[in-house]
Amino acid sequence: MPSATTTYRLLVGSVIALLTVTGCQTLDDAGRVVGRADLVNDLAARLDRAMELTYSADYQLPGGQTASISQTQKPARSAYSYPGGKLTVTAEATTTCVTSGSRTTCTLAPPPVPSNRPSVTVFAEAKQQGLIAPPVVMGLLATAALDPAAVIKQTDTTVAGRHATCVKVTEVGDSGATPFDACVTTEGVLGSFRGVLDGKAVELDLTRYQDSVPATAFDLPPGAGVVDRRTATK
């Protein structure tokens, strides 16, 4: 499984190459394409740098629910907590916890190789529960950038006291692009998101960012049952 950083670089390189090839239609179209490529490259670079940070971020979800993202570098590990579940990625395992009623079950799978960063597909459950991870946002932006019908507008704002660049994607065509609004802070942390993914509305806002991580961020939920599938899949 490739690292998230490698995924970003390959994604951005592919997008810019395709935009360059398709950007020779008219002068107006060429200017629009260059703007898209620059925007994708800038946000990807921010997200790339953020993967090298130690930080924790708290988010507000609809209905008073919350979510969080935490990561450290020594050791390299990350945790994504959201309503009804938690995803933890360490050198020992990729652990997905699901809560149903009063029971929580955590399933341990082999860790990512060669690094301890999850690929986009790992975030499917978190996305369904309202926490959209930065790699997913990057994929959405890249798809929109390749859609000639999509309108991508950029603005600047402040989110939870952090400067952020925001994009609003509208008027998408038939390419599979999704309309959405997203903000990314200068550090590369997801600041906010609004959109409909897989038929479900997703909305979150950064409420707190700090360059430290709680000691319990990577612990499994108390009382959780554990299913270890690492040996069976080797």
Side-chain angles (χ1 to χ4, degrees):
M1 182 181 296
S3 73
T5 299
T6 301
T7 301
Y8 292 152
R9 288 170 178 163
L10 291 175
L11 175 63
V12 174
S14 299
V15 169
I16 292 176
L18 286 171
L19 289 174
T20 301
V21 170
T22 59
C24 58
Q25 298 171 2
T26 66
L27 289 177
D28 288 342
D29 286 343
R32 183 177 173 187
V33 165
V34 170
R36 291 182 176 197
D38 288 344
L39 179 58
V40 170
N41 189 52
D42 175 63
L43 294 182
R46 294 189 191 189
L47 292 166
D48 186 22
R49 290 194 300 269
M51 297 302 294
E52 306 299 329
L53 298 176
T54 290
Y55 78 90
S56 59
D58 296 332
Y59 294 92
Q60 182 68 52
L61 306 182
Q65 295 182 308
T66 61
S68 66
I69 298 175
S70 299
Q71 67 178 41
T72 63
Q73 302 304 318
K74 296 181 180 181
R77 53 185 180 173
S78 57
Y80 306 80
S81 299
Y82 42 88
K86 183 175 184 178
L87 169 68
T88 304
V89 184
T90 68
E92 291 73 35
T94 296
T95 305
T96 303
C97 299
V98 178
T99 299
S100 178
S102 60
R103 178 177 175 80
T104 300
T105 301
C106 296
T107 302
L108 280 62
V113 177
S115 76
N116 298 315
R117 295 171 183 163
S119 69
V120 173
T121 56
V122 175
F123 299 105
E125 179 63 25
K127 182 175 65 174
Q128 283 297 313
Q129 301 304 323
L131 176 60
I132 181 168
V136 180
V137 175
M138 195 61 227
L140 293 173
L141 183 61
T143 301
L146 292 173
D147 184 345
V151 175
I152 304 176
K153 297 181 179 180
Q154 176 183 344
T155 58
D156 293 311
T157 190
T158 300
V159 181
R162 326 296 297 192
H163 178 267
T165 298
C166 303
V167 290
K168 182 179 182 66
V169 179
T170 59
E171 300 181 26
V172 297
D174 299 325
S175 66
T178 301
F180 68 91
D181 295 76
C183 295
V184 179
T185 71
T186 301
E187 296 86 357
V189 175
L190 182 62
S192 66
F193 183 88
R194 302 283 187 283
V196 177
L197 304 177
D198 301 329
K200 185 174 182 178
V202 177
E203 178 180 330
L204 60 78
D205 293 285
L206 179 68
T207 57
R208 185 178 67 166
Y209 169 88
Q210 53 186 5
D211 56 6
S212 60
V213 176
T216 59
F218 307 100
D219 294 347
L220 299 184
V226 177
V227 178
D228 193 341
R229 294 182 176 171
R230 290 173 295 181
T231 302
T233 56
K234 289 182 179 180

